[in-house]
Amino acid sequence: MAVPGDPPNSTPEGMGGGDDEFRSDEYRSVVFDEDFVRAARLQEYSAQERMGEHARAVRTRSIWSGSGSASRTSTPGRGARQGMLLVLLIATAFAAAVYMGLRNPYQPPPGTAAQPLTSTVVPLAPTTDVPGGRPADLYANSPAADYRVGAAGIALPAVRRTHHFTDTQVVTALSIAKDYLVQSSLDPDIVAGAATRPVRVLLDPDQLAQFDHSMTSPSGDGRHAATGWLVRFDQATAVMADSRVRVSGTLAFEEVAPDLLEITTDHTFVYAVRPATGAPAAADGASLFTVRRELRLRFDRDDLGARRLELVSAYVMAGPQDCSADPAGAFRPLLAGAAPTTVGPAASDPYASGQPRRTAGLCGVLAPPATPQAPAVSPAP
């Protein structure tokens, strides 16, 4: 009878017992009963548990030596060290920027402040009695016969770019200059002395204090003449008899610095005025009053963006006026039929084109304007 541990049908033929027979005898005493076999539990160990305490095939790398499959093929630690070095450099630069910002050792250069206006206002005294009449007739018989009316007489020149300013920026500067001329010379409320804001809003903020002082306390000191900034009539003397002011003149532009554009305006404004009385004036009681304004305006890029300007200088001739009158606060026209009481040292023609003749004194002579000549009429045969 076979015992547990023997192969079926005993030992195959041709194979001796030898060691196998010895091993069978060794385990013959080990018997697993049915309860033991049924209670046995199979357990599959993981690869790591089967390795036991053996060294790992891939060693864990620190943050300085990289990780992942790429680290197995690249030079150990090189890429990660470069990344950490870059992070440290960025952190150092950021800390330095914060430190320098807190200390603020560098102060940006302050912006260029606008210079105060310098102005010269010269009254022009007539050499003869002031002619009177209807506004239309007065205009037709004066050098202003061909002048255009109002803003139409302020024409912009041909535009081209400069070295540092585009043609669009030049157009913007010219349009602001025209707005200033219209507001300061043609606005009825400005001319009547009833408003100043339309002119004020076009000025550089650095000049506002000077402008306000000129409006409230005008003086002929070359800095605070109200008539250097705008055209204004003394309402106790004269008012406009016709709102259609005749205008002629030119504008020119020039780049004077990489960040500075300069525009020169030279215009003659001819007003029809009448006495400022409570009763309506006679229809033929008007007279002409002429103002020649030569202005120098400057613009930087901030001015162009804010649509404002810096009024650098103003040279103004206006007449007919009495030389004894102070024109700093407002113009006091000599009206129809009036004659001057004093005469200035030099004649000046406000209608003449080109550079105006600057008088040396505080008063000039209003040169008799050349009236348009009527066409010659051939005698009848």
Side-chain angles (χ1 to χ4, degrees):
M1 179 177 179
V3 297
D6 290 338
N9 301 321
S10 187
T11 303
E13 185 178 357
M15 297 184 62
D19 292 341
D20 292 335
E21 185 177 0
F22 174 76
R23 292 190 185 95
S24 299
D25 294 339
E26 182 180 1
Y27 291 103
R28 289 182 188 277
S29 61
V30 180
V31 178
F32 297 98
D33 58 14
E34 184 177 354
D35 293 335
F36 178 81
V37 173
R38 189 177 292 114
R41 184 180 63 181
L42 297 178
Q43 180 177 357
E44 179 72 20
Y45 290 97
S46 66
Q48 185 174 1
E49 289 173 334
R50 290 197 301 270
M51 288 172 59
E53 297 299 327
H54 294 287
R56 295 178 180 177
V58 180
R59 58 191 176 94
T60 302
R61 311 189 69 176
S62 68
I63 190 173
W64 293 96
S65 58
S67 61
S69 59
S71 64
R72 301 176 187 176
T73 58
S74 62
T75 303
R78 182 177 179 182
R81 283 194 295 270
Q82 289 177 346
M84 289 302 299
L85 180 60
L86 179 60
V87 171
L88 287 177
L89 288 175
I90 294 175
T92 303
F94 178 76
V98 172
Y99 174 73
M100 296 294 285
L102 292 176
R103 290 192 60 189
N104 196 22
Y106 173 74
Q107 295 292 339
T112 304
Q115 298 299 313
L117 166 68
T118 59
S119 60
T120 302
V121 183
V122 179
L124 300 179
T127 57
T128 61
D129 292 350
V130 178
R134 297 176 181 270
D137 296 335
L138 292 171
Y139 284 132
N141 294 296
S142 75
D146 296 329
Y147 288 6
R148 305 182 77 173
V149 177
I154 306 174
L156 302 184
V159 175
R160 68 182 187 281
R161 64 164 297 141
T162 66
H163 189 64
H164 296 95
F165 289 88
T166 66
D167 52 356
T168 301
Q169 291 173 320
V170 173
V171 169
T172 300
L174 288 169
S175 66
I176 298 172
K178 180 173 180 175
D179 287 347
Y180 185 82
L181 288 172
V182 170
Q183 298 298 334
S184 64
S185 306
L186 302 176
D187 187 317
D189 291 334
I190 295 292
V191 176
T196 60
R197 189 176 183 278
V199 174
R200 191 179 190 273
V201 296
L202 293 173
L203 295 173
D204 188 288
D206 293 333
Q207 292 188 313
L208 294 182
Q210 183 188 11
F211 176 82
D212 293 339
H213 182 79
S214 301
M215 297 301 109
T216 57
S217 302
S219 65
D221 60 358
R223 294 292 181 92
H224 300 99
T227 48
W229 300 93
L230 45 79
V231 175
R232 172 189 285 178
F233 292 136
D234 178 13
Q235 294 300 292
T237 303
V239 295
M240 286 203 302
D242 187 355
S243 60
R244 295 169 298 176
V245 181
R246 302 309 196 263
V247 185
S248 180
T250 60
L251 292 93
F253 62 91
E254 179 186 9
E255 180 182 314
V256 295
D259 193 41
L260 209 58
L261 193 65
E262 183 173 283
I263 292 180
T264 302
T265 73
D266 185 4
H267 288 81
T268 298
F269 300 86
V270 186
Y271 304 84
V273 296
R274 60 176 177 79
T277 60
D284 58 353
S287 60
L288 297 184
F289 187 82
T290 304
V291 180
R292 175 80 175 266
R293 303 182 75 197
E294 182 187 349
L295 309 179
R296 194 153 56 94
L297 317 172
R298 284 185 176 174
F299 303 82
D300 58 24
R301 287 178 172 79
D302 291 338
D303 292 330
L304 296 177
R307 292 197 62 83
R308 66 193 185 201
L309 57 88
E310 174 189 346
L311 182 57
V312 179
S313 65
Y315 186 82
V316 182
M317 299 186 299
Q321 292 187 90
D322 195 322
C323 284
S324 62
D326 181 8
F331 297 128
R332 295 175 174 83
L334 290 174
L335 302 171
T341 57
T342 58
V343 176
S348 299
D349 184 0
Y351 293 96
S353 60
Q355 190 73 13
R357 180 177 178 180
R358 300 178 185 272
T359 61
L362 297 179
C363 187
V365 174
L366 180 62
T371 58
Q373 298 295 325
V377 178
S378 301

